[in-house]
Amino acid sequence: MADSSVLTSTIERTSLADSSIFDSKVTEISKENVLIGSASYVEEEMPQIETRMILVQEAGKQEELIQALKEIKVPFVKMESVEELESLDSPEFENVFIVMDFQDSVFNELYKTDHRIIGPPVILNCAQKGEPLPFSCRPLYCTSMMNLVLCFTGFRKKEELVRLVTLVHHMGGVIRKDFNSKVTHLVANCTQGEKFRIAVSLGTPIMKPEWIYKAWERRNEQDFCASVDDFRNEFKVPPFQDCILSFLGFSDEEKTNMEEMTEMQGGNCLPVGDERCTHLIVEENIVKELPFEPSKKLYVVKQEWFWGSIQMDARAGETMYLYEKANTPELKKSVSLLSLNTPNSNRKRRRLKETLAQLSRETDMSPFPPRKRPSAEHSLSIGSLLDISNTPESSINYGETPKSCTKSSKNSTPVPSKQSARWQVAKELYQTESNYVNILATIIQLFQVPLEEEGQRGGPILAPEEIKTIFGSIPDIFDVHTKIKDDLEDLIVNWDESKSIGDIFLKYSKDLVKTYPPFVNFFEMSKETIIKCEKQKPRFHAFLKINQAKPECGRQSLVELLIRPVQRLPSVALLLNDLKKHTAEENPDKTTLEKAIGSLKEVMTHINEDKRKTEAQKQIFDVVYEVDGCPANLLSSHRSLVQRVETISLGEHPCDRGEQVTLFLFNDCLEIARKRHKVIGTFRSPHGHTRPPASLKHIHLMPLSQIKKVLDIRETEDCHNAFALLVRPPTERANVLLSFQMTSEELPKENWLKMLCRHVANTICKADAENLIYSADPESFEVNTKDMDSTLSRASRAIKKTSKKVTRAFSFSKTPKRALRRALMTSQSSVEGRSPSSNDKHVMSRLSSTSSLAGIPSPSLVSLPSFFERRSHTLSRSTTHLI
């Protein structure tokens, strides 16, 4: 086998120039020239040349390779030395040499004489997939980099570059000297230069040289591709490679967090002022002046550069994020122009107080927030280079600036000279509604729209299902409240005491019922998703940091903003109650407000009921994810999880004795699952979302109507916490006895059995749930819990599991093993020979009342009490009926 190294004797023959012209010609030729199944229609007088494979030395000893050549039906011969080369040369054949080692002298000799050379993985891969052999004028060992176009930057040593280029060609890759849009990967030895900046701007993956070396080490693996995400992400150039950072103006907690993130992203940290630092990250809101004069080599940047680099998964350009001192000449000049031109400072203060007082009076008179500057109206849509998705073009309909924010100000509308209490409350209602709509717009435009934007640098920050979980129905809530805000604005502007505010909320009550429950019910899940993704995904953490620092968020986190919809409806209900108090009895809006308050209460009640249903459904989904092979029909709108019980199987049904069995009691069925012997692995969705592996294996989903008896096994020295179920499948003639031992001490056995019988009785529409429980001695059913946890018992079970090559499925056809048939026969004969006792009569009367439940003839029940009573009999034979 070839080593990881490559001979450098071929340096003279390897071209480092742009090979695009040569590669394009090779591509054109390869479309018409393949080694198998290609037929060139040439003139009849031209002889047809057949392709022949020559197995060189060790390749001729590989049985797998010879078998693959036979499958693809290509003629082949073996060659042991170079001396045989002349004898194999024939005008009838085009020879293609299969070489195991692209390093030995035979390879070099064949390469110098311009022979076509391929490696064994190419043959094996084509035979496996049934594809024709690819045409290549260069030596091609494998196809792990086929269709990849690479460009190199930052390499100083020509020998290293030649070695990397040769390996790429051996794996089927193409090299470009200049970086363009066709390049799929940039291999960088540094984080500077024009090629690096272009790759960052285009979102092209930037790889370390180790990526090529590691791919070459795996050259013999079939179906291996160097561009798969799991393999490629291990060798991506981290954002802070070759960077030494220091932090100024941050709290100890923030500084520690940022230093940890720096090390995770390939950088190092040093104290402020160290000459070896390449970057100084400054908290621009706190630091007004640097404590030292920075050198020309030191980049002094804002924290936005730090978080933006992590978000893009590449080092961002520093020029756009340079820190500007607060005492720059330009800033001093602008401050001087704003200063008052009066010599007396007291006069300045007095004039400033008068101005502020005038502004406060105008604000009190106007129900509307101060009008923003035109530039500020679109502040939510203007993003930095880091946030390429925060552009006006990327805004969607529900993410646009609300119409009310772009309307002409209505502050000129006359306001009542004497403002009533009702008007004051209505104004407060409008102002809070306007603030709430702005918060929803911020959530959508700053967070949701950029995360959903296609073509993000470095790939999607979050998977689509995670985005849906976090934001839910926020856009729908935004649409409804935008309409409510517009209606409230028109009402306040054209104020009249007879105007009805209650009608506005009655008008949109149905929309509120549709939009709020989906979000409120899943808010905790949304919160958990944010916390989990922030811990596991540094780019998402950086994205939140960048946006939370913007003034639109008011330094609030995304979780703090998302809790506003949960709090909004109760707040509106309180304001409407206050408005009703200040509404006269003769005002028709009094009755309307009462109806509006009632409709809001109905919405909140519906949310609570929906939340309970949602939590119940979530529990069922958790069971489905936890149990491997769980039937899909377990998911039902009318079904709910009642109790989960951990047990150990005491018999051979539903699984081997000693197996850990989990029982999931639903309101109409019982799911039986055992602990998996071996967990295969985590589940990964197409969007990259991972779930923990299923820890349980499905055995049987049993309707509660199939449970005929619940046996409470009495406590003895050798039997603790045991119970049994007598079940009768509708398609079988035999009963099945399932015996278990409860392992959980949280739920008493008595409570569990009563709970189980109550739901069985509800399923079969019976009122006498207690009559389903029977007490029995463990000896009667040969139930024993002794030594279940002993070392010998565990070893015996392990040997038994190992010896089974195929897991036995649960089957009702293999029903209870010992004792019952013999017991019934002996008990019947004993009953015929003696008169029943009072005890027997009492038990027989109980069993006769439940004969319809068991679905068995009453004469047969006579034998059951004698069976329970005669514990001394040896139960050696199996039976298929408990009758």
Side-chain angles (χ1 to χ4, degrees):
M1 285 293 176
D3 298 329
S4 300
S5 60
V6 178
L7 265 187
T8 57
S9 61
T10 59
I11 293 177
E12 294 81 11
R13 300 183 56 81
T14 304
S15 175
L16 299 181
D18 190 351
S19 57
S20 57
I21 300 176
F22 175 76
D23 291 326
S24 63
K25 291 181 178 179
V26 171
T27 304
E28 293 175 1
I29 296 172
S30 63
K31 292 179 181 178
E32 299 179 356
N33 295 274
V34 290
L35 300 182
I36 300 176
S38 64
S40 301
Y41 293 97
V42 295
E43 297 180 3
E44 295 182 359
E45 61 270 13
M46 293 293 293
Q48 186 174 358
I49 300 177
E50 186 178 4
T51 302
R52 181 175 63 180
M53 313 303 293
I54 299 178
L55 301 172
V56 180
Q57 295 179 344
E58 292 296 326
K61 302 177 183 179
Q62 302 295 321
E63 294 295 334
E64 184 181 8
L65 187 59
I66 295 173
Q67 184 63 30
L69 290 172
K70 291 179 180 179
E71 290 179 4
I72 59 179
K73 299 178 181 180
V74 175
F76 63 91
V77 295
K78 299 179 181 181
M79 186 182 80
E80 293 296 334
S81 63
V82 183
E83 287 74 16
E84 303 176 23
L85 189 60
E86 294 182 2
S87 62
L88 294 174
D89 192 12
S90 172
E92 299 178 0
F93 295 99
E94 180 187 12
N95 293 325
V96 179
F97 294 84
I98 303 177
V99 180
M100 294 287 294
D101 191 350
F102 273 31
Q103 177 184 341
D104 60 11
S105 58
V106 177
F107 169 82
N108 293 329
E109 188 69 27
L110 294 173
Y111 184 63
K112 290 177 181 178
T113 53
D114 291 330
H115 286 91
R116 292 175 57 188
I117 308 172
I118 62 175
V122 177
I123 302 293
L124 297 175
N125 189 51
C126 292
Q128 180 184 5
K129 297 181 180 179
E131 297 176 351
L133 296 174
F135 178 86
S136 176
C137 290
R138 298 192 186 96
L140 180 65
Y141 188 86
C142 63
T143 58
S144 57
M145 283 195 175
M146 188 67 71
N147 300 324
L148 300 187
V149 182
L150 277 63
C151 186
F152 292 84
T153 183
F155 290 88
R156 302 295 183 187
K157 298 180 180 180
K158 183 178 180 181
E159 292 79 7
E160 181 183 9
L161 182 58
V162 169
R163 184 163 59 252
L164 291 171
V165 170
T166 303
L167 291 179
V168 172
H169 285 156
H170 287 349
M171 291 184 284
V174 178
I175 306 298
R176 292 287 185 270
K177 181 181 179 181
D178 298 323
F179 192 94
N180 54 41
S181 59
K182 294 182 180 180
V183 174
T184 60
H185 297 79
L186 176 68
V187 182
N189 206 28
C190 67
T191 57
Q192 297 177 352
E194 183 181 359
K195 292 181 180 179
F196 186 89
R197 291 291 158 222
I198 297 175
V200 171
S201 63
L202 294 179
T204 304
I206 304 173
M207 311 303 297
K208 299 178 182 178
E210 289 80 4
W211 175 55
I212 298 175
Y213 292 128
K214 291 295 182 181
W216 179 249
E217 289 179 4
R218 300 179 60 177
R219 60 190 179 276
N220 290 313
E221 297 182 16
Q222 293 189 35
D223 300 325
F224 169 71
C225 180
S227 61
V228 294
D229 291 340
D230 291 340
F231 177 76
R232 184 184 64 184
N233 291 339
E234 297 179 17
F235 305 101
K236 291 184 69 174
V237 174
F240 300 134
Q241 180 173 303
D242 304 330
C243 296
I244 302 176
L245 311 183
S246 58
F247 302 92
L248 180 63
F250 299 93
S251 64
D252 293 340
E253 183 179 356
E254 290 177 324
K255 184 178 178 182
T256 302
N257 179 37
M258 296 176 80
E259 288 176 348
E260 291 176 355
M261 296 291 291
T262 300
E263 294 178 358
M264 288 174 56
Q265 302 299 324
N268 295 308
C269 300
L270 287 175
V272 175
D274 195 299
E275 295 180 355
R276 292 171 292 176
C277 288
T278 59
H279 294 76
L280 174 62
I281 317 299
V282 179
E283 168 57 273
E284 62 274 16
N285 297 318
I286 295 178
V287 178
K288 303 303 179 184
E289 187 174 354
L290 298 178
F292 63 95
E293 186 65 27
S295 64
K296 295 182 179 180
K297 296 182 179 180
L298 180 66
Y299 289 106
V300 183
V301 293
K302 304 175 185 177
Q303 63 170 328
E304 190 178 5
W305 173 85
F306 177 83
W307 297 115
S309 297
I310 298 176
Q311 177 186 331
M312 293 190 302
D313 201 20
R315 177 178 166 182
E318 292 85 358
T319 55
M320 295 192 62
Y321 308 101
L322 295 177
Y323 169 76
E324 297 178 359
K325 298 180 181 179
N327 58 350
T328 55
E330 293 79 5
L331 184 59
K332 289 183 177 180
K333 183 177 180 180
S334 61
V335 173
S336 64
L337 292 175
L338 293 173
S339 62
L340 299 174
N341 295 323
T342 55
N344 194 330
S345 60
N346 292 329
R347 190 179 301 172
K348 294 178 184 178
R349 297 192 188 97
R350 186 167 57 253
R351 184 177 300 178
L352 181 60
K353 286 182 178 179
E354 292 175 356
T355 304
L356 293 175
Q358 178 66 21
L359 287 173
S360 63
R361 285 194 296 272
E362 291 178 358
T363 304
D364 291 338
M365 292 178 63
S366 172
F368 305 100
R371 178 170 171 78
K372 298 180 181 179
R373 300 187 308 275
S375 61
E377 292 178 359
H378 302 285
S379 60
L380 291 179
S381 300
I382 299 177
S384 63
L385 179 63
L386 295 174
D387 242 342
I388 60 172
S389 55
N390 281 349
T391 57
E393 293 79 12
S394 65
S395 296
I396 52 179
N397 293 334
Y398 57 76
E400 295 175 352
T401 305
K403 294 180 180 179
S404 57
C405 295
T406 58
K407 289 179 182 178
S408 59
S409 178
K410 298 181 181 179
N411 294 353
S412 58
T413 304
V415 176
S417 56
K418 186 179 180 181
Q419 300 170 359
S420 65
R422 173 176 161 83
W423 187 86
Q424 291 284 0
V425 178
K427 182 188 74 171
E428 182 183 357
L429 178 61
Y430 167 75
Q431 288 177 337
T432 57
E433 188 69 17
S434 178
N435 293 337
Y436 178 58
V437 170
N438 290 337
I439 289 173
L440 294 178
T442 299
I443 293 172
I444 293 171
Q445 294 181 346
L446 277 187
F447 295 95
Q448 184 175 4
V449 172
L451 288 173
E452 292 178 341
E453 186 72 19
E454 296 181 359
Q456 299 175 30
R457 296 179 184 178
I461 297 176
L462 293 180
E465 59 183 12
E466 293 171 334
I467 298 173
K468 182 63 178 176
T469 302
I470 291 174
F471 296 100
S473 58
I474 284 289
D476 299 327
I477 296 175
F478 173 76
D479 289 340
V480 175
H481 281 275
T482 300
K483 297 174 184 177
I484 294 175
K485 172 182 171 291
D486 292 340
D487 291 353
L488 286 175
E489 181 177 343
D490 293 336
L491 185 143
I492 295 296
V493 170
N494 304 301
W495 177 256
D496 186 272
E497 290 291 334
S498 60
K499 291 287 183 72
S500 176
I501 296 178
D503 284 337
I504 296 176
F505 290 91
L506 287 175
K507 177 181 177 182
Y508 298 104
S509 61
K510 292 183 179 179
D511 295 329
L512 295 175
V513 171
K514 293 179 182 178
T515 56
Y516 268 92
F519 180 81
V520 176
N521 294 339
F522 289 95
F523 173 72
E524 289 301 325
M525 187 184 298
S526 171
K527 181 179 175 182
E528 293 173 1
T529 304
I530 294 174
I531 295 173
K532 182 191 69 175
C533 292
E534 193 173 4
K535 290 180 179 179
Q536 297 179 353
K537 302 185 178 183
R539 293 181 61 208
F540 181 62
H541 178 73
F543 172 80
L544 294 181
K545 284 289 185 181
I546 292 172
N547 288 315
Q548 289 167 11
K550 294 180 180 179
E552 295 91 333
C553 290
R555 292 193 170 274
Q556 295 183 82
S557 66
L558 178 58
V559 174
E560 292 171 335
L561 293 174
L562 286 174
I563 202 174
R564 297 302 181 89
V566 180
Q567 303 169 339
R568 182 56 187 164
L569 290 185
S571 175
V572 171
L574 292 175
L575 287 172
L576 292 182
N577 265 316
D578 197 14
L579 190 65
K580 188 181 74 171
K581 293 178 183 178
H582 296 90
T583 302
E585 293 292 337
E586 62 274 9
N587 194 324
D589 195 30
K590 184 89 169 181
T591 306
T592 310
L593 284 172
E594 292 178 354
K595 293 181 181 179
I597 295 170
S599 67
L600 284 179
K601 289 181 178 179
E602 289 179 3
V603 173
M604 289 184 283
T605 302
H606 182 77
I607 290 174
N608 293 333
E609 293 177 355
D610 224 33
K611 188 174 183 180
R612 284 193 291 270
K613 293 179 181 178
T614 301
E615 290 174 351
Q617 291 295 315
K618 183 178 179 295
Q619 289 178 338
I620 299 179
F621 274 103
D622 291 340
V623 173
V624 173
Y625 290 137
E626 187 178 2
V627 179
D628 181 30
C630 188
N633 58 0
L634 180 66
L635 298 173
S636 177
S637 59
H638 73 278
R639 184 167 292 140
S640 60
L641 179 65
V642 178
Q643 187 64 47
R644 171 180 178 153
V645 178
E646 301 294 338
T647 68
I648 295 177
S649 176
L650 299 179
E652 295 190 2
H653 296 292
C655 56
D656 294 338
R657 175 179 170 83
E659 289 270 12
Q660 297 182 21
V661 178
T662 302
L663 304 179
F664 295 96
L665 175 62
F666 295 89
N667 57 324
D668 63 341
C669 63
L670 183 69
E671 166 64 21
I672 305 175
R674 66 167 176 82
K675 185 178 180 181
R676 295 189 66 172
H677 301 153
K678 182 179 180 181
V679 178
I680 296 175
T682 58
F683 166 75
R684 181 178 293 273
S685 71
H687 307 290
H689 183 70
T690 57
R691 289 195 185 98
S695 59
L696 301 174
K697 180 71 175 179
H698 167 74
I699 296 178
H700 186 62
L701 181 61
M702 178 194 304
L704 294 183
S705 58
Q706 294 182 11
I707 300 178
K708 303 305 178 183
K709 300 290 186 296
V710 177
L711 304 179
D712 183 4
I713 308 299
R714 295 189 182 97
E715 296 290 319
T716 63
E717 293 183 0
D718 296 337
C719 188
H720 299 284
N721 240 13
F723 69 95
L725 303 178
L726 182 66
V727 300
R728 180 69 173 273
T731 58
E732 300 288 339
R733 295 182 178 180
N735 293 330
V736 181
L737 186 67
L738 311 179
S739 55
F740 305 94
Q741 179 190 19
M742 296 180 63
T743 59
S744 176
E745 298 179 357
E746 298 178 359
L747 179 66
K749 182 178 72 170
E750 182 182 0
N751 296 353
W752 155 246
L753 296 180
K754 287 182 179 179
M755 184 189 305
L756 175 61
C757 290
R758 185 172 65 251
H759 285 87
V760 171
N762 292 339
T763 303
I764 61 178
C765 299
K766 291 288 185 179
D768 52 346
E770 295 182 356
N771 292 334
L772 294 172
I773 302 179
Y774 291 86
S775 297
D777 293 329
E779 294 85 357
S780 303
F781 295 93
E782 296 187 357
V783 175
N784 188 354
T785 63
K786 188 178 181 181
D787 298 332
M788 287 300 297
D789 294 328
S790 66
T791 304
L792 182 61
S793 178
R794 289 195 297 268
S796 175
R797 292 196 297 269
I799 294 172
K800 191 173 183 180
K801 291 174 186 175
T802 307
S803 64
K804 289 189 175 183
K805 296 182 179 180
V806 180
T807 304
R808 185 180 60 186
F810 181 76
S811 171
F812 280 100
S813 61
K814 301 174 182 178
T815 49
K817 273 200 161 178
R818 302 176 185 91
L820 298 182
R821 182 179 298 170
R822 169 87 177 268
L824 292 177
M825 294 174 61
T826 55
S827 60
Q828 284 178 356
S829 60
S830 64
V831 169
E832 292 173 359
R834 66 176 178 88
S835 59
S837 64
S838 60
N839 235 358
D840 295 338
K841 292 178 181 178
H842 174 67
V843 176
M844 282 189 292
S845 64
R846 284 192 60 190
L847 294 176
S848 299
S849 65
T850 58
S851 60
S852 61
L853 174 63
I856 46 182
S858 55
S860 305
L861 291 173
V862 179
S863 61
L864 189 60
S866 301
F867 167 69
F868 285 123
E869 198 172 80
R870 299 176 64 87
R871 298 187 298 269
S872 59
H873 283 272
T874 304
L875 306 178
S876 58
R877 295 187 180 180
S878 301
T879 181
T880 57
H881 296 278
L882 181 59
I883 52 177

